C-alpha cells in the first residue's frame, strides 16, 4: 500500500501523487479503500480514484541514480524495429511494450520510433498517427518519472534523451 504523499507511476497517466486513501465522495460508505491520485504535471486538477486492491499498473518511481543510469545507457539501446501496414498490429506491438511499465521498455520504444522517424524523414515522409500517439505516451511516462527522480522538468529530460539518442553507441 502506498502512503499519502507518495509519488507513483500510474498506467498511461504518468506520475501521480497519492492525495488520500479512503472512500471517495461518490461512493457510499461501503468500506472499500481507494487511492485518490492527482497527476503531478497536469494543470487540470483532475482526481483519479483507484481501488487499493485493484490490479492496475501502478509502481513506485525510480530513484535519481537509476534515472541517470538509464539515460547513460540510451546510446547502447538496440531496439528491434517493428513494421506493419496494419495500424491495429502496430498499436498492439506498442501497447505490449508499454504494458511492462518499465523505464527501459519506454526508452526502447522512444528510440524505436525516433529511428523510424529519421528513416521516414530521409524519404520526405512523416510518422503515422499510431506511431505519434504511442511516442507521446512513452515520452510522457519517461520524462515525468525521470524529471521527478532528477528534480528537474520534463523538457530538460526530453533534451537529455534526444541528445543521448544522437550519440553513437561505442563499438564493441
Amino acid at each position: 500500500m502506498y502512503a499519502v504523499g507518495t509519488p507513483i507511476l500510474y498506467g498511461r497517466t504518468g506520475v501521480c501523487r497519492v492525495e488520500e486513501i479512503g472512500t471517495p465522495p461518490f461512493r457510499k460508505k461501503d468500506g472499500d479503500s481507494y487511492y485518490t491520485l492527482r497527476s503531478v504535471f497536469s494543470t487540470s486538477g483532475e482526481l483519479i480514484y483507484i481501488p487499493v486492491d485493484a490490479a492496475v499498473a501502478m509502481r513506485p518511481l525510480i530513484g535519481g541514480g537509476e534515472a541517470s543510469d538509464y539515460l547513460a545507457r540510451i546510446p547502447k539501446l538496440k531496439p528491434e524495429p517493428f513494421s506493419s501496414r496494419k495500424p491495429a498490429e502496430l498499436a498492439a506491438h506498442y501497447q505490449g511494450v508499454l504494458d511492462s511499465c518499465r523505464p527501459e521498455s519506454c526508452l526502447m520504444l522512444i528510440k524505436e520510433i525516433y529511428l523510424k522517424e529519421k528513416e521516414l524523414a530521409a524519404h520526405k515522409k512523416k510518422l503515422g498517427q499510431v506511431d505519434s500517439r504511442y511516442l507521446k505516451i512513452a515520452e510522457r511516462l519517461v520524462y515525468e518519472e525521470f524529471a521527478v527522480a532528477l528534480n528537474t522538468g520534463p523538457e530538460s529530460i526530453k533534451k537529455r534523451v534526444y541528445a543521448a539518442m544522437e550519440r553513437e553507441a561505442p563499438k564493441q
Side-chain angles (χ1 to χ4, degrees), residues 34-84:
Y34 284 72
Y35 290 117
T36 301
L37 306 177
R38 184 183 308 270
S39 173
V40 171
F41 292 96
S42 174
T43 57
S44 73
E46 172 187 29
L47 294 175
I48 302 165
Y49 298 96
I50 304 297
V52 169
D53 57 0
V56 296
M58 277 193 302
R59 66 168 174 78
L61 299 182
I62 62 172
E66 280 182 275
S68 294
D69 289 346
Y70 281 121
L71 290 170
R73 284 186 276 178
I74 290 173
K76 298 174 189 165
L77 292 177
K78 301 286 185 214
E80 295 191 23
F82 180 87
S83 183
S84 176

Side-chain angles (χ1 to χ4, degrees), residues 81-103:
F82 180 87
S83 183
S84 176
R85 292 190 180 270
K86 297 179 181 176
E89 287 178 359
L90 193 57
H93 164 69
Y94 291 155
Q95 187 58 52
V97 174
L98 289 178
D99 282 346
S100 76
C101 269
R102 292 181 20 241

Side-chain angles (χ1 to χ4, degrees), residues 55-144:
V56 296
M58 277 193 302
R59 66 168 174 78
L61 299 182
I62 62 172
E66 280 182 275
S68 294
D69 289 346
Y70 281 121
L71 290 170
R73 284 186 276 178
I74 290 173
K76 298 174 189 165
L77 292 177
K78 301 286 185 214
E80 295 191 23
F82 180 87
S83 183
S84 176
R85 292 190 180 270
K86 297 179 181 176
E89 287 178 359
L90 193 57
H93 164 69
Y94 291 155
Q95 187 58 52
V97 174
L98 289 178
D99 282 346
S100 76
C101 269
R102 292 181 20 241
E104 187 168 3
S105 297
C106 288
L107 286 169
M108 288 284 276
L109 182 59
I110 292 168
K111 191 165 184 180
E112 176 182 338
I113 297 173
Y114 166 79
L115 293 172
K116 184 176 189 177
E117 185 174 32
K118 281 184 76 168
E119 178 68 26
L120 287 169
H123 296 81
K124 299 192 184 329
K125 295 182 179 181
K126 294 186 178 194
L127 284 177
Q129 288 180 344
V130 173
D131 298 302
S132 296
R133 181 173 61 234
Y134 281 92
L135 175 61
K136 286 179 185 175
I137 293 167
E139 286 179 328
R140 185 181 66 248
L141 295 174
V142 167
Y143 301 162
E144 287 184 5

Side-chain angles (χ1 to χ4, degrees), residues 1-10 15-22 34-40 47-48 50 52 58-60:
M1 186 174 218
Y2 300 106
V4 172
T6 303
I8 61 168
L9 189 73
Y10 170 60
V15 176
C16 293
R17 188 166 313 283
V18 177
E19 296 276 314
E20 195 176 322
I21 301 170
Y34 284 72
Y35 290 117
T36 301
L37 306 177
R38 184 183 308 270
S39 173
V40 171
L47 294 175
I48 302 165
I50 304 297
V52 169
M58 277 193 302
R59 66 168 174 78

